[in-house]
């Protein structure tokens, strides 16, 4: 049993953890639940040796543990799988799994054959079906995560901390993950599972610990808890956010896409996108669902002009044919893209909130055609900070210091500043807490109400079904379904997402 | 709260280099009574003016996460072009044609040539995706070779008193090169802090992908930045040529390293997106004071290089320490 006792951790005078008490049981999946900023990540960083200066004690199997660092934690059998994956993109899957603990033969030369063999075995266990020599950088996020899990399995850890493991993977992969987690639990390992997705916690977790504002609020058995009860404990109040599905009819087309194809980067492989056609109407929220690798992100990127050389097909904005060869053209035609990976593609983390929001509209913030109008810029960012409820003291704070939900709102703000007609949202709620999530749903509803056309890509089926007016489904680069949300159910959407051979 | 702390850390790093410079000055002043004289002060400033011009261009490039190794050669070539045009004009005997250049004309031609060489760097980098390190390394050799061709390996000297004023003259009690460097610095501060171009430079260095998605023409920005750096190298070349009243074919050798040193000591991150012109000026001043002090203290030139290298290391290590916490 791993016990954290009276843990207090301060950052520059700000208390991140306040006298936290935690018991993690072996042979169980221990869920840590709380909003972003509740202190989960900090606590996990202490348990895994990332932070070594804190008050309180950690007791593991009746011994006080004083971790010197992550290596030390690993040696003691505690491994963390981070929300932001820690892999080297330029190395192969095998090399990543064995990074820092390479196998060598008698004379100290890398034993590649043995490592490949072991890697294949681990990959089989996590059901990752690619060549072990594939570069990690060439894998999709979901697959990279499986590599990360394989890596943890390889270290024979007895305590495995999973921070938002399902935030980026498809439902099928979640099922796969749960099978693995169940196996590990049955082997008597202590699983610590952090997730915002309550539904999956009820599927997988045995115990829960609720954290709020740096304190541990309550713990107990999952079976004795209800979803509403948990939400109340997390937020201190009940939240209702499901929207009654609209029966509105949308008639005014804003974006029409006809026979869009996207070639693969390697010439011999099949198309990434094949004959995609659909229409997005004014005021409509269309949810685009698909499993990992279905081509959703690629479709968004193509619409935004990121693949001008590989893409073919016709696009019409307000029924006018448009050529979108770059993001600059896309923006000119009123298209905005909130990308899937906000840290890699959405934000400049080291810069101020203000500079991040204004970057898309700097040309409108100039006086005399050359000098930036500082006051206008400040006012613009202040307006969005207020409108979107970005939690920060000042627009001059550094974007990278905010929580995931607030960062996502900054990305939204910078795109809303361009006054788009068409808003492409790629996984806008990935890795953000439940309150921020509902705020984003409400915002989408409001924007649609004002006439914006929204294309929402999500890996979470319930999100698609609650937030959209219409549901599009993709499978293996093709659009396999396009239906009003009233006709969509979890089972039929999933069916279209899996079976792509339905006649098109 | 954390953000405020981070800003403080950055300011602290700059404060540290300021303190280091003051300490350095005090030590030199104690050991040599010539250091704290007006003459010597102007002398130091005049000497660093060239490095400041180059370093400012280098800072803009480094902020985009690039680098320019060609500035020293470009400086030599443009100095030689200016000197050659001023002295000899262009003679085309086959066409029986002679084009003479006024002082202003030859200066403009030199600066335009510098800008063009910089643009070529930018073109290769953006069009063919050649890493800046490699493409500007190639330009370092090419421009040096062109300098040798243009000068036939011989200095071009005796360029006239008007031209000499640029490097050696005074205006309102301040040396002309210091005026030039001052204007360059002010313009660069204005660009980095008050214009769209400046924001784009920081954005590209901070996160190139996000910059592309935000609709920034990153290729255009890079072209401009490399062009500016080339033109500033030419300005430096003109100042060097004027001070010596002679364009030396091997002028500016190794200047790119002094410029990079000034940028790094000034706290600009080589991975881009973080740093400032003010920091670079401070870096250039530290290097200049150090050079001057070591000469005044009769330190052997061999030891001077060792000391300079050590100072760069120490400055960067202190800077890192300041940023970590």
């Amino acid at each position: 049993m791993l016990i954290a006792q009276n843990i207090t951790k301060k950052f520059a005078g700000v208390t991140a953890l306040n006298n936290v008490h935690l018991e993690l049981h072996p042979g169980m999946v221990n869920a840590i639940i709380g909003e972003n900023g509740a202190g989960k990540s900090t606590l996990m960083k202490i348990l895994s040796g990332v932070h070594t200066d804190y008050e309180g004690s950690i007791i593991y199997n009746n011994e006080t543990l004083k971790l010197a660092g992550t290596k030390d934690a690993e040696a003691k059998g505690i491994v963390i799988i981070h929300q932001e994956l820690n892999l080297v993109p330029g190395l192969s899957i095998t090399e990543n799994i064995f990074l820092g603990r390479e196998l060598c033969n008698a004379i100290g030369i890398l034993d590649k054959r043995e490592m490949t063999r072991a890697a294949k075995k681990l990959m089989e266990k996590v059901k990752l079906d690619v060549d072990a020599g594939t570069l990690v950088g060439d894998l999709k996020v979901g697959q990279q995560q499986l590599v990360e899990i394989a890596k943890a399995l390889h270290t024979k850890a007895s305590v495995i901390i999973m921070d938002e493991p399902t935030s980026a993977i498809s439902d099928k992969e979640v099922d796969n993950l749960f099978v693995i987690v169940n196996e590990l639990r049955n082997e008597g390992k202590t699983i610590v599972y952090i997730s915002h997705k309550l539904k999956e916690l009820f599927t997988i977790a045995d115990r829960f610990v609720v954290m709020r504002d740096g304190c541990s609020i309550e713990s107990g058995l999952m079976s004795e808890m209800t979803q509403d009860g948990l939400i109340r404990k997390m937020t201190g109040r009940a939240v209702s956010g499901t929207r009654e599905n609209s029966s509105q009819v949308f008639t005014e087309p804003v974006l029409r896409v006809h026979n869009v194809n996207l070639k693969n980067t390697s010439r011999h492989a099949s198309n990434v996108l094949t004959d995609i056609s659909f229409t997005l109407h004014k005021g409509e929220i269309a949810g685009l669902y698909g499993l990992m690798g279905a081509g959703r992100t690629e479709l968004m990127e193509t619409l935004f002009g990121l693949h001008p050389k590989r893409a073919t097909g016709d696009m019409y904005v307000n029924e006018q044919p448009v050529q979108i060869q770059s993001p600059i053209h896309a923006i000119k035609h009123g298209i905005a893209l909130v990308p899937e990976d906000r840290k890699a593609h959405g934000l400049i983390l080291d810069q101020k909130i203000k500079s991040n929001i204004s970057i898309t509209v700097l040309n409108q913030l100039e006086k005399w055609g050359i000098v930036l109008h500082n006051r206008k810029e400040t006012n613009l960012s202040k307006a969005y900070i207020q409108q979107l409820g970005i939690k920060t003291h000042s627009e001059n704070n550094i974007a990278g210091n905010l929580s995931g939900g607030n960062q996502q709102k900054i990305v939204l703000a910078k795109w809303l500043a361009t006054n788009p007609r068409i808003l492409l949202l790629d996984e806008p709620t990935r890795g953000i807490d439940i309150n921020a999530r509902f705020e984003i749903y409400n915002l989408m509803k409001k924007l649609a109400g004002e006439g914006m056309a929204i294309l929402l890509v999500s890996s979470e089926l319930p999100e698609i079904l609650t937030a959209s007016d219409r549901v599009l489904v993709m499978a293996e680069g093709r659009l396999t379904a396009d239906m009003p949300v009233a006709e969509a159910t979890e089972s039929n959407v999933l069916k279209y997402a899996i079976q792509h051979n339905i006649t098109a | 709260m954390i953000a405020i702390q981070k800003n403080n850390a950055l300011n602290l790093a700059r404060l540290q280099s300021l303190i280091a410079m003051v300490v350095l000055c005090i030590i030199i002043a104690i050991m040599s009574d010539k250091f704290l004289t007006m003459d010597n002060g102007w002398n130091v400033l005049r000497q660093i003016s060239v490095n400041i011009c180059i370093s400012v261009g280098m800072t803009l490039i480094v902020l985009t996460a690039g680098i320019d190794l060609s500035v020293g050669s470009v400086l030599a070539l443009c100095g030689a072009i200016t000197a050659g045009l001023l002295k000899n004009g262009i003679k085309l005997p086959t066409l029986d044609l002679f084009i003479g250049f006024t002082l202003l004309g030859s200066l403009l031609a030199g600066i335009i040539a510098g800008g063009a060489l910089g643009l070529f760097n930018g073109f290769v980098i953006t069009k063919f995706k050649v890493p800046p390190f490699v493409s500007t390394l190639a330009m370092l050799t090419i421009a040096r070779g062109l300098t040798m061709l243009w000068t036939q390996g011989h200095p071009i000297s005796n360029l006239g008193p008007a031209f000499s004023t640029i490097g050696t003259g005074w205006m309102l009690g301040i040396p002309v090169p210091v005026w030039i460097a001052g204007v360059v610095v002010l313009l660069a501060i204005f660009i980095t802090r008050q214009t769209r171009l400046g924001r784009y430079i920081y954005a590209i260095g901070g996160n190139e992908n996000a910059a592309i998605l935000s609709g920034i023409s990153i290729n255009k920005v890079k072209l401009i930045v490399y062009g500016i750096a080339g033109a500033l190298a030419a300005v430096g070349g003109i100042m060097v040529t004027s001070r010596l009243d002679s364009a030396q074919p091997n002028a500016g050798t190794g200047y790119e390293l002094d410029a990079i040193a000034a940028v790094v000591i000034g706290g600009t991150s080589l991975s881009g997106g973080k740093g400032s012109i003010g920091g670079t000026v401070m870096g250039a001043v530290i290097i200049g004071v150090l050079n001057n002090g070591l000469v005044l203290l009769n330190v052997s030139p061999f030891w001077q290089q060792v000391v300079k290298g050590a100072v760069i290391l120490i400055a960067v290590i202190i800077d890192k320490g300041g940023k970590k916490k």
Side-chain angles (χ1 to χ4, degrees):
Chain A
M1 178 130 79
L2 183 63
I3 303 172
Q5 242 168 13
N6 307 332
I7 305 278
T8 298
K9 168 81 186 162
K10 293 189 174 108
F11 291 105
V14 180
T15 308
L17 294 176
N18 186 7
N19 216 5
V20 168
H21 185 85
L22 191 72
E23 289 177 10
L24 301 170
H25 298 250
M28 286 194 176
V29 175
N30 303 268
I32 313 278
I33 307 165
E35 292 188 282
N36 277 0
K40 295 164 302 187
S41 296
T42 309
L43 182 60
M44 294 310 122
K45 280 179 182 165
I46 287 175
L47 290 180
S48 58
V50 176
H51 296 315
T52 50
D53 54 329
Y54 54 89
E55 295 162 38
S57 50
I58 298 170
I59 298 161
Y60 184 41
N61 294 338
N62 300 325
E63 255 177 74
T64 304
L65 214 55
K66 200 71 199 165
L67 297 171
T70 46
K71 272 262 171 197
D72 192 25
E74 249 177 56
K76 302 238 161 59
I78 304 173
V79 171
I80 185 163
I81 298 171
H82 284 281
Q83 192 176 351
E84 261 78 44
L85 303 172
N86 270 331
L87 297 168
V88 185
L91 295 181
S92 71
I93 295 173
T94 309
E95 285 162 337
N96 265 288
I97 290 174
F98 285 91
L99 193 62
R101 39 184 166 263
E102 287 80 4
L103 300 181
C104 294
N105 61 19
I107 52 167
I109 292 169
L110 291 180
D111 190 348
K112 286 192 181 165
R113 194 157 13 131
E114 176 57 26
M115 284 194 281
T116 307
R117 200 190 57 78
K120 276 186 179 153
K121 219 167 127 190
L122 288 165
M123 285 165 63
E124 216 168 278
K125 198 164 177 186
V126 297
K127 304 184 177 68
L128 178 59
D129 188 22
V130 292
D131 187 85
T134 313
L135 295 186
V136 162
D138 293 339
L139 298 175
K140 286 261 147 202
V141 186
Q143 295 172 315
Q144 291 184 3
Q145 187 159 40
L146 294 178
V147 176
E148 188 86 91
I149 292 167
K151 195 173 156 184
L153 293 181
H154 169 63
T155 63
K156 304 220 161 53
S158 52
V159 178
I160 300 176
I161 303 169
M162 297 180 170
D163 191 0
E164 290 282 348
T166 59
S167 62
I169 64 179
S170 68
D171 287 358
K172 200 171 108 192
E173 286 166 323
V174 172
D175 292 342
N176 178 21
L177 177 73
F178 284 0
V179 172
I180 298 164
V181 169
N182 269 324
E183 277 172 26
L184 296 173
R185 164 173 45 200
N186 295 340
E187 288 168 21
K189 295 192 194 296
T190 309
I191 310 290
V192 182
Y193 194 96
I194 302 175
S195 176
H196 291 304
K197 299 176 191 169
L198 296 185
K199 208 174 145 194
E200 82 187 25
L201 290 178
F202 280 96
T203 316
I204 192 74
D206 304 298
R207 295 184 56 85
F208 68 87
V209 178
V210 176
M211 293 188 65
R212 193 205 308 157
D213 300 331
C215 305
S216 41
I217 300 292
E218 192 171 321
S219 60
L221 289 172
M222 214 62 195
S223 53
E224 293 165 5
M225 193 31 109
T226 64
Q227 196 156 330
D228 287 345
L230 270 183
I231 293 177
R232 257 198 307 278
K233 293 222 153 42
M234 280 163 66
T235 61
R237 66 192 166 278
V239 189
S240 86
T242 45
R243 116 188 235 209
E244 65 286 9
N245 290 324
S246 75
S247 50
Q248 239 177 303
V249 185
F250 303 94
T251 51
E252 198 179 318
V254 179
L255 174 70
R256 193 151 65 81
V257 174
H258 187 65
N259 276 344
V260 164
N261 284 272
L262 181 66
K263 286 199 208 64
N264 204 303
T265 36
S266 76
R267 249 180 310 139
H268 303 291
S270 58
N271 277 4
V272 181
L273 297 175
T274 311
D275 296 334
I276 304 269
S277 302
F278 67 92
T279 307
L280 197 58
H281 302 91
K282 190 174 175 181
E284 181 181 49
I285 303 174
L288 175 57
Y289 182 78
L291 302 175
M292 275 289 143
R296 299 163 303 170
T297 296
E298 288 81 356
L299 176 59
M300 301 288 241
E301 288 173 353
T302 305
L303 298 181
F304 201 61
L306 284 167
H307 304 300
K309 293 203 177 109
R310 292 191 283 132
T312 55
D314 303 317
M315 271 176 77
Y316 304 85
V317 172
N318 287 343
E319 292 296 300
Q320 298 297 314
V322 292
Q323 292 286 329
I324 292 181
Q325 303 286 338
S326 77
I328 299 166
H329 296 157
I331 293 166
K332 213 175 278 169
H333 287 111
I335 304 176
L337 169 67
V338 173
E340 182 180 9
D341 187 339
R342 62 181 161 265
K343 292 196 173 175
H345 299 121
L347 286 174
I348 304 161
L349 290 169
D350 288 328
Q351 291 184 10
K352 294 172 183 173
I353 297 171
K354 184 171 77 173
S355 326
N356 269 293
I357 293 178
S358 65
I359 190 86
T360 48
V361 290
L362 282 180
N363 54 340
Q364 297 162 30
L365 298 173
E366 284 174 319
K367 48 186 172 189
W368 315 310
I370 171 114
V371 190
L372 287 181
H373 203 306
N374 289 328
R375 193 163 38 84
K376 265 194 190 168
E377 187 190 17
T378 303
N379 289 345
L380 174 90
S381 36
K382 276 191 168 155
Y384 278 108
I385 287 170
Q386 203 193 3
Q387 190 193 330
L388 303 185
I390 299 171
K391 290 190 192 81
T392 175
H393 303 293
S394 155
E395 69 282 357
N396 290 319
N397 279 351
I398 304 294
N401 291 334
L402 272 64
S403 69
N406 283 309
Q407 287 182 2
Q408 188 66 287
K409 287 182 190 168
I410 298 175
V411 181
L412 276 164
K414 84 182 224 190
W415 286 111
L416 294 181
T418 66
N419 264 326
R421 281 187 284 250
I422 300 151
L423 183 60
L424 310 175
L425 298 172
D426 199 352
E427 302 279 4
T429 62
R430 177 180 154 193
I432 69 177
D433 68 61
I434 199 154
N435 257 338
R437 209 172 255 251
F438 284 122
E439 281 171 25
I440 285 175
Y441 295 154
N442 286 332
L443 179 70
M444 282 166 52
K445 205 155 87 175
K446 183 170 151 264
L447 294 171
E450 290 165 5
M452 205 179 283
I454 299 177
L455 184 58
L456 164 74
V457 160
S458 176
S459 297
E460 287 175 52
L461 206 35
E463 175 166 299
I464 295 269
L465 295 178
T466 46
S468 348
D469 301 304
R470 207 165 103 227
V471 179
L472 306 175
V473 187
M474 282 182 74
E476 298 190 17
R478 290 169 189 274
L479 203 61
T480 51
D482 182 347
M483 57 188 146
V485 75
E487 293 170 20
T489 62
E490 293 212 17
S491 60
N492 71 359
V493 169
L494 210 54
K495 193 183 74 191
Y496 284 114
I498 296 164
Q499 301 179 347
H500 65 285
N501 286 334
I502 296 167
T503 48
Chain B
M1 285 301 280
I2 298 163
I4 294 164
Q5 198 205 0
K6 216 173 186 174
N7 283 342
N8 281 347
L10 212 72
N11 291 340
L12 193 72
R14 201 177 297 167
L15 193 70
Q16 279 169 339
S17 49
L18 188 68
I19 292 169
M21 201 180 73
V22 171
V23 171
L24 188 68
C25 289
I26 292 172
I27 294 173
I28 300 171
I30 290 171
M31 296 175 74
S32 163
D33 52 359
K34 288 187 203 118
F35 181 70
L36 278 184
T37 59
M38 280 299 270
D39 279 354
N40 190 52
W42 288 129
N43 187 23
V44 171
L45 285 178
R46 191 199 299 272
Q47 281 170 356
I48 62 176
S49 299
V50 174
N51 191 21
I52 283 185
C53 282
I54 307 175
S55 306
V56 163
M58 187 71 79
T59 308
L60 299 180
I61 289 180
V62 170
L63 282 174
T64 67
I67 196 130
D68 187 350
L69 300 179
S70 68
V71 284
S73 303
V74 169
L75 173 146
L77 179 56
C78 297
I81 287 175
T82 304
L85 291 179
L86 183 63
K87 194 166 185 199
N88 306 323
I90 298 174
K91 286 185 199 124
L92 293 169
T94 46
L95 292 170
D96 198 20
L97 190 72
F98 172 78
I99 307 167
F101 278 78
T102 61
L103 177 61
L104 192 65
S106 56
L107 294 180
L108 276 179
I111 294 171
I112 288 169
L117 291 166
L119 283 176
F120 183 80
N121 275 334
F123 174 74
V124 173
I125 290 162
T126 53
K127 177 78 185 175
F128 302 106
K129 310 285 170 216
V130 179
F133 191 95
V134 179
S135 48
T136 61
L137 182 64
M139 177 57 82
L140 176 148
T141 310
I142 293 170
R144 184 63 66 189
L146 291 175
T147 312
M148 294 298 172
L149 286 170
W150 176 262
T151 61
Q152 293 300 310
H154 301 298
I156 305 172
S157 306
N158 298 325
L159 303 165
F163 183 70
S164 289
T165 312
I166 298 168
T168 57
W170 294 73
M171 203 171 91
L172 303 176
I174 293 172
V176 174
V178 178
W179 278 108
I180 297 173
V183 169
V184 166
V185 166
L186 289 179
L187 275 176
I189 289 177
F190 172 73
I191 288 175
T192 49
R193 297 174 70 144
Q194 295 294 332
T195 69
R196 187 144 58 110
L197 176 64
R199 284 297 176 77
Y200 289 174
I201 288 171
Y202 279 93
I204 290 171
N207 187 343
E208 188 162 324
N209 285 323
I212 295 170
L213 283 178
S214 302
I216 296 172
S217 318
I218 60 162
N219 288 351
K220 210 193 308 179
V221 174
K222 285 184 182 175
L223 274 174
I224 293 172
V225 166
Y226 281 90
I228 291 176
L232 287 177
V235 171
I238 290 167
M239 289 183 344
V240 170
T241 308
S242 165
R243 192 171 65 212
L244 302 174
D245 194 21
S246 168
Q248 301 283 336
N250 61 352
T253 308
Y255 278 25
E256 62 279 351
L257 300 180
D258 271 352
I260 294 169
V263 170
V264 169
I265 292 176
T268 296
S269 155
L270 281 179
S271 49
K274 271 187 279 187
S276 68
I277 299 292
T280 296
V281 171
M282 187 100 77
V285 172
I286 288 179
I287 294 175
V289 168
L290 196 65
N291 274 335
N292 177 259
L294 293 172
V295 171
L296 288 182
L297 298 177
N298 284 324
V299 176
S300 98
F302 305 146
W303 275 110
Q304 285 182 23
Q305 298 190 35
V306 176
V307 172
K308 233 166 81 180
V311 167
I312 293 173
L313 273 184
I314 292 166
V316 174
I317 290 166
I318 291 174
D319 194 32
K320 282 226 160 188
K323 272 175 188 162
K324 238 177 201 166
K325 276 281 157 184

